[in-house]
Amino acid sequence: MADDGQTHDAPIPAALDAAQARILARHFSAGRPALSQVYDEIERRAAGRLRDFKIVALGRNDTNDAFVAALLETAQAGVHHTFLNELAALGFLDLDGAMTALEAAQSAAGGLDTLLWPQDATGLVTKPQGWNAQVAATLDMTQLLRAVNLAARRVCLVCTGASQGTGFLIGPQTVLTNWHVMAPLIDPATGQARPDSAREITCTFESLAGAPGRDYRALDDWLVEFSPLAAGPTAPGTALPDMTALRTHALDFCALRLSGSAGRERGWYDLARPGSLNAATDHFFVFQHPFANPQRLAITHNVTVDPGATAFLRHKAWADNGSSGGLCLDHRFRPLALHHAAVTDASGAFQFNRAVRLAEIHALAPDLATPDPMHDRISHLSDGSRAVLGRGATQDLAHDMMQSSTRPILYVRGQPRSGKSFTTHLIRDCTPHDRRRIVQISASEMPSEARELAALILTRAGAPTEAVNSLPHADTPNGTDNAWIGSALLPTLRTALTSFLHTNPDQPLVLWLIIDELDLVPIPQTSARELLDALYVDAEAMRNLRVVLIGLNSALPGINQAITRVEILDHPEEIVADALETCLGGLMAERMLAPSPAELKRQTDLVTGVANMLQTMGTDANRLERLSDVMAQVWLRAVKKWK
């Protein structure tokens, strides 16, 4: 298989002149930053024998001219072999093509110069070792440790009750595994997930030796896409269902969507950027959960494309039952394939393992990783001001209420300073901004007159001025006529809101009416209160209205409680470590950091320790407030400087 990172044992001449360097430059394909980076590394190893790249390339605006200058500099120091081989190893130089061109150019002059090394009496040559194809094929320990840390967090044990396998994250919510792992939960006649099958699915991340792992459930609508193990009708007597009417391809993959956005906490592997291998030199890694054991890593080489089925790779990395769906990485730890099966001969003797090339899966189904915004999660506010600690349930409620109007009223209750008012920020950031309008009113600013309240709602929703002006005035001097509110004001307000929210009938907007501080400031029995009571009753019928009552500790009178929801926030002194760990994991994943589970726990303990130290300094902030302050004033503040 062709590879942009292939290494070489080409006969590089012992000395180079400017003409030879220019021939080699024609096969250099990287940009100036990459050239500088590799040169600087060679300069560091050369211990003062090379000049700085900026000096060598000074005045050479053309990248190839800069390459020629850098190459001649390394040749003068005798390290050009290392320079050229390292460029080739990184995929920046077609060294085979360059050496062929160089040989052709110099063949008339008797070929390339060669460097003769001393021989002993037996004729053996003693030669100092340098950078060559074998060295280039070794592993960079920094990259290896990072790759293992990433896989430890992104690879999961997949259990369905009837089967078990391995999977890995390919998007914020999407796990990729084999179809034959999930087949017991898919109806072969329809190609749809069996009813209530989501409750049988568990994906356990960080199932490592000595660690219990972290479980994620699947969404009710969990099946994203699949390709069966065999296409067309199956042979009589086989256990595979007939998929003829459903699929003509047979890549044996299944993508399933999780609840909770595990990928936001751990990152994911991008199928649009698959890796590649040189079979002769490169390693091949398979991360897996054989027999539901803690995560294992198998390593092999000599991996080739299956000549009988080019969508697959042949490999001999150790795997067994439960390894199906394992993550296969290439020599540079890029996602390459999905392990899926062992191949035997007619007698049952093992021949080789097979893995599905991720490039083939992506070509067939390019949108597997696309998240469902109604089930996504955030770990911090969009303005970067606050982190989100332990509010997954609030986000799930907001997503569900955006989708359904059957229970449009939400009570948010909790202890003082437990983050109830933060609910407004969460709703604003975790619901699609182009599909909703938010009207927030504090109980302390509630007007007393019904028409003033109606005008305030329309204005804050962004309705046009003419809609506000269309509101009728009260028939009675004090504006408390209940009949007038029900017969005139409420219908006009409802019409104005409906017209405004349906400006685009193909995608009507949802209005969130959020009333805060109801545990601090009671709303008196005024005409505004009467209008609110009428809106609460009308919420289910309006379909585009959602009401959030923050701090109201008693049920609304006269309301069918079946249309309400209740969220009771955790006590602000009882924030669990998992909430902080989830938040930190999400923040790190967004910035392409790859902490190990142990390192993430250490970071969690560090933030907790700082918050505990603040308590000893006499602050009256509760645990939630202290943790939130440390995250906002230290962690998020530092992150802003990284950008």
Side-chain angles (χ1 to χ4, degrees), residues 44 121 125 155 159 167 210 227 240 254 291 394-395 401 432 441 542 583 588:
R44 183 185 66 79
V125 176
V155 174
C159 295
S227 180
L240 297 176
C254 182
F291 298 101
T394 305
Q395 296 183 54
M401 290 177 72
I441 303 174
M542 285 187 66
C583 176
M588 291 183 180

Side-chain angles (χ1 to χ4, degrees), residues 429-503:
D429 269 21
C430 72
T431 55
H433 66 88
D434 59 337
R435 294 183 55 190
R436 54 96 177 118
R437 293 290 183 270
I438 293 178
V439 172
Q440 180 188 13
I441 303 174
S442 297
S444 58
E445 63 173 335
M446 185 69 64
S448 60
E449 299 293 335
R451 188 182 186 280
E452 290 181 25
L453 176 58
L456 182 63
I457 292 173
L458 287 173
T459 300
R460 291 191 176 178
T465 303
E466 52 267 26
V468 178
N469 294 336
S470 70
L471 294 172
H473 291 272
D475 291 339
T476 56
N478 58 14
T480 58
D481 187 345
N482 199 11
W484 167 77
I485 292 175
S487 62
L489 182 61
L490 181 61
T492 305
L493 175 61
R494 184 191 303 124
T495 300
L497 284 174
T498 301
S499 176
F500 167 65
L501 296 174
H502 286 78
T503 301

Side-chain angles (χ1 to χ4, degrees), residues 272-287:
R273 302 176 63 187
S276 58
L277 281 179
N278 174 15
T281 60
D282 288 355
H283 296 84
F284 179 80
F285 305 87
V286 183
F287 294 85

